[in-house]
Amino acid sequence: MRRITWMLTIIVVFGIVMTACGKKDAAGVVKDLDKVVTKLESYQTSGTMTLYTGDSPQEYKVEVWHQKPTYYRIALTNAQKNVTQIVLRNDQGVYVLTPSLNKSFRFQSDWPENQGQVYLYQTLIRSILSDSSRQFVSDKDNYVFDVAANYNTHALVRQKIWLDKENYAPKQVQVSDAQAKVVVEVKFDKFDFNTKFDDKSFDMQRNLDAAAQDAKGTMLEVDENGMLIEKVPSADETGAGTDEGSPDAAANGQGTEEPSTPALSEPFGIIVPTYLPEGVVYSDSKAVEDSDRSIVIQRYEGAYQFTISETRAADRATSLVPSEVVDLGFTTGWLAGDDLQTLSWTIDGLEFRITSDNLPVTEMVKIASSMQDQTGK
């Protein structure tokens, strides 16, 4: 009897050990992630980012290309307005491209090393590695980490990260505020490790030209060498039954003329922030007529004093901006100045600036975010 009991005990213990060997705990996964991010050469990913900061959720299509050590291409497209902005980093610096305006800004910056983005794989993995109080669960297909959010704002406190069990590719991210409310969510629909890119894939002018063509109806692809290639959609892909410029097309009102960009002097709607810091009130506003365009300036007073200017964004060539790149979530802005600071960004063909000598940058970002789901065209 004792012998049978002893044998049963051995069998049970052996079964427990074998079951445990098939599972990884948090320490084992973290060790693997450290190796993955250290050996990471390149990747390409895409997904949907949703911001819950305004009156209604705002969706953005996100595409990220990365090649070691510091080449990045990030395309953010507003799903409702179909406007794309590209953030590019190569050997010449960091660029913010707005293809619809043929506009680009260049920065001398170590972005994104100096601030994380929720859609960057390295940022997600490093946040897991650096949080010693991380929480970990394992479901059928994913490893799920709950860790501290290390973004450039105090409004984002925690984040939940889903990683595929097979290869540690990101599946989903939810970033929450102090009240545990989800503020930012990213769902990845594609993630490819070790993508082959060519240097031209991160060339500023090549990306600006190709993205401008894409805005006119040309689709972008990456060939086997990582080169950007352009492909004009067929009639089936566009839904058109006749060639543009043909008599039939003209008769149907299709034509070949491209939509024109509004003139700088054309009027626009005024956008006001729906968020103001505590103790701040609206003071007044005025229109200033420049030589070729109108500028509307709003003034706010109280605990902080600042102005918000709005004007039509001018079409300009690449210019070097002595400022810092700031991730606004819905787009990329740039911060300039020391004692008097200005946060600038462009969206929907409009250029905005928040200027103040005492308003914290975190508050500037909140104000900018509260303006993003409105339209001033």
Side-chain angles (χ1 to χ4, degrees), residues 63-362:
E63 184 179 37
V64 180
W65 300 353
H66 167 64
Q67 180 174 290
K68 190 177 182 179
T70 57
Y71 281 14
Y72 290 90
R73 179 190 184 274
I74 299 167
L76 284 173
T77 302
N78 185 303
Q80 287 84 5
K81 301 173 183 177
N82 196 31
V83 176
T84 298
Q85 187 179 65
I86 296 174
V87 183
L88 195 73
R89 179 173 178 179
N90 56 29
D91 292 334
Q92 286 71 51
V94 177
Y95 294 87
V96 176
L97 313 179
T98 306
S100 60
L101 300 174
N102 193 32
K103 176 184 286 190
S104 63
F105 293 96
R106 181 164 65 93
F107 305 84
Q108 293 298 329
S109 170
D110 59 354
W111 176 94
E113 275 66 31
N114 60 347
Q115 60 173 265
Q117 273 77 28
V118 66
Y119 37 75
L120 294 183
Y121 185 67
Q122 300 95 314
T123 298
L124 298 178
I125 301 306
R126 287 168 185 161
S127 66
I128 294 174
L129 299 179
S130 62
D131 189 353
S132 59
S133 60
R134 67 184 77 89
Q135 299 176 24
F136 170 84
V137 295
S138 175
D139 61 26
K140 180 181 178 182
D141 301 314
N142 308 293
Y143 296 119
V144 186
F145 285 91
D146 191 328
V147 298
N150 56 353
Y151 302 106
N152 192 28
T153 172
H154 298 299
L156 304 178
V157 178
R158 301 288 299 178
Q159 59 183 342
K160 207 170 185 179
I161 303 168
W162 284 258
L163 301 176
D164 191 288
K165 279 188 173 180
E166 292 186 4
N167 59 359
Y168 298 120
K171 303 284 283 297
Q172 184 179 355
V173 184
Q174 290 181 343
V175 189
S176 306
D177 60 15
Q179 286 72 46
K181 176 186 175 183
V182 175
V183 180
V184 183
E185 181 177 40
V186 179
K187 292 183 178 180
F188 298 91
D189 53 45
K190 172 186 177 183
F191 194 95
D192 296 327
F193 288 102
N194 299 319
T195 305
K196 299 297 183 182
F197 292 114
D198 187 275
D199 288 346
K200 284 292 184 180
S201 296
F202 301 93
D203 179 77
M204 188 283 294
Q205 194 60 51
R206 183 70 174 87
N207 274 275
L208 188 61
D209 293 344
Q213 287 295 323
D214 185 42
K216 298 174 184 177
T218 302
M219 297 184 295
L220 299 182
E221 296 180 353
V222 181
D223 66 14
E224 65 275 8
N225 298 316
M227 291 288 291
L228 283 171
I229 57 175
E230 300 170 7
K231 172 188 166 188
V232 178
S234 64
D236 292 337
E237 291 169 324
T238 61
T242 56
D243 293 333
E244 292 187 1
S246 68
D248 290 338
N252 292 329
Q254 289 172 284
T256 59
E257 185 176 350
E258 298 174 5
S260 59
T261 302
L264 295 179
S265 58
E266 286 190 25
F268 49 83
I270 309 304
I271 294 180
V272 298
T274 57
Y275 166 83
L276 290 176
E278 186 175 354
V280 171
V281 295
Y282 168 80
S283 175
D284 57 46
S285 62
K286 63 178 180 179
V288 178
E289 295 299 328
D290 200 350
S291 58
D292 57 355
R293 55 178 169 170
S294 297
I295 303 173
V296 174
I297 300 175
Q298 306 172 48
R299 288 199 308 164
Y300 294 83
E301 297 179 344
Y304 304 109
Q305 298 80 45
F306 59 91
T307 63
I308 301 176
S309 68
E310 177 183 352
T311 186
R312 289 214 175 270
D315 184 355
R316 70 181 74 174
T318 302
S319 55
L320 179 61
V321 182
S323 54
E324 173 187 345
V325 179
V326 178
D327 179 23
L328 301 179
F330 63 95
T331 190
T332 300
W334 45 96
L335 184 70
D338 296 317
D339 295 332
L340 184 66
Q341 291 189 307
T342 298
L343 175 66
S344 307
W345 71 97
T346 60
I347 191 168
D348 289 346
L350 298 174
E351 183 175 296
F352 297 89
R353 294 183 179 182
I354 300 175
T355 302
S356 175
D357 61 1
N358 67 347
L359 182 65
V361 176
T362 53

